[in-house]
């Protein structure tokens, strides 16, 4: 019989764990955005070395399953003398993974920027770094916002994989509660509902920001 009482009792703990899920996910996306921006710029640069590094980075982190990446970082970092908490290793791996996808997302946005705008920026004396941070990145974000929001929601769901390396977040806690209460269906349904709400909020926020961008463009 479906037990709603266990859901009510477990909900406060699940909600508390969901905070860490959001923190890990958004931190990973923020770091990944910085990495992705640099890799995108390198991939579009005139430097053969930069293009090669960017191509290898994107190919590796998009081609290797995230679960395998997490296990590699968890077991390999101690071997090279980096004894970091499992949460730090997990967030770093998530950031590197999402950075590869963000690099490809931003690539489309960068290519959509009118070349004349970049030339005009150079003529007024802006440096390459200034052009990147003041013109290219803001415009690329506007062009690719729906894809970036989608990537963020994907990372919220993918963050459930960090439970395999011992990081306590929503999925890990749900597993612990399900094991101790022998009520897996109720607990996993509650966890699934929390994931749904988190991603619904992120998607709604993205829609609002996109609407503001369109309104500003129409003025």
């Amino acid at each position: 019989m479906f037990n709603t009482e266990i859901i009510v009792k477990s909900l406060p703990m699940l909600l508390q764990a969901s905070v860490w899920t959001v923190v890990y996910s958004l931190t990973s996306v923020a770091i990944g955005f910085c990495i992705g921006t640099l890799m995108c710029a390198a991939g579009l640069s005139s430097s053969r070395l930069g293009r090669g590094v960017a191509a290898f980075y994107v190919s590796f982190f998009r081609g290797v399953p995230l679960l395998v990446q997490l296990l590699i970082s968890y077991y390999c970092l101690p071997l090279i003398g980096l004894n970091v908490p499992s949460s730090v290793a997990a967030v770093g791996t998530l950031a590197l993974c999402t950075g590869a996808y963000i690099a490809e997302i931003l690539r489309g946005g960068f290519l959509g920027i009118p070349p004349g705008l970049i030339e005009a920026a150079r003529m007024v004396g802006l440096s390459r770094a200034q052009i990147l941070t003041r013109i290219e990145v803001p415009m690329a974000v506007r062009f690719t916002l729906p894809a970036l929001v989608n990537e963020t929601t994907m990372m919220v769901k993918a963050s459930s994989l960090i439970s395999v390396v011992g990081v306590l977040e929503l999925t890990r806690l749900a597993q612990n509660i399900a094991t101790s209460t022998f009520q897996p269906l109720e607990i996993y349904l509650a966890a699934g509902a929390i994931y749904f709400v988190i991603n619904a909020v992120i998607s709604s926020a993205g829609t609002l920001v996109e609407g503001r961008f369109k309104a500003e463009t129409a003025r």
Side-chain angles (χ1 to χ4, degrees):
M1 184 178 294
F2 192 80
N3 189 347
T4 57
E5 183 180 353
I6 191 63
I7 296 178
V8 174
K9 289 182 178 180
S10 303
L11 192 58
M13 291 184 290
L14 292 173
L15 290 175
Q16 186 176 5
S18 70
V19 173
W20 286 109
T21 291
V22 173
V23 169
Y24 293 143
S25 301
L26 296 186
T27 301
S28 300
V29 171
I31 298 173
F33 181 84
C34 297
I35 297 173
T37 300
L38 293 176
M39 289 296 105
C40 178
L44 296 175
S45 69
S46 58
S47 170
R48 183 176 299 179
L49 176 62
R51 294 196 304 270
V53 170
F56 175 79
Y57 167 79
V58 171
S59 297
F60 178 82
F61 284 99
R62 292 181 68 186
V64 178
L66 177 57
L67 179 59
V68 176
Q69 295 176 33
L70 286 165
L71 293 173
I72 289 174
S73 65
Y74 182 74
Y75 289 110
C76 286
L77 287 179
L79 295 179
I80 60 176
L82 295 177
N83 296 312
V84 298
S86 57
S87 58
V88 174
V91 169
T93 305
L94 290 176
L96 288 169
C97 181
T98 191
Y101 288 92
I102 290 175
E104 286 298 287
I105 291 171
L106 291 178
R107 182 172 177 271
F110 274 52
L111 293 175
I113 299 173
L117 187 62
I118 305 302
E119 291 297 326
R122 290 172 180 164
M123 291 180 65
V124 299
L126 293 183
S127 66
R128 182 69 186 93
Q130 290 174 321
I131 293 174
L132 179 66
T133 57
R134 297 183 183 182
I135 298 176
E136 291 180 325
V137 172
M139 292 193 69
V141 169
R142 286 195 176 203
F143 293 155
T144 62
L145 183 61
L148 291 173
V149 172
N150 182 65
E151 178 62 19
T152 302
T153 60
M154 292 294 291
M155 286 311 298
V156 171
K157 292 183 287 185
S159 68
S160 62
L161 292 175
I162 67 177
S163 62
V164 301
V165 293
V167 179
L168 183 62
E169 41 71 64
L170 180 55
T171 297
R172 179 73 173 188
L173 183 64
Q175 291 172 335
N176 293 343
I177 296 175
T179 301
S180 62
T181 61
F182 302 101
Q183 301 286 341
L185 177 61
E186 292 86 344
I187 299 303
Y188 287 129
L189 281 176
I194 294 173
Y195 276 113
F196 174 79
V197 171
I198 292 172
N199 280 333
V201 171
I202 293 173
S203 298
S204 298
T207 301
L208 289 175
V209 174
E210 185 180 3
R212 288 190 177 184
F213 284 163
K214 289 181 179 179
E216 290 177 2
T217 304
R219 290 177 183 175

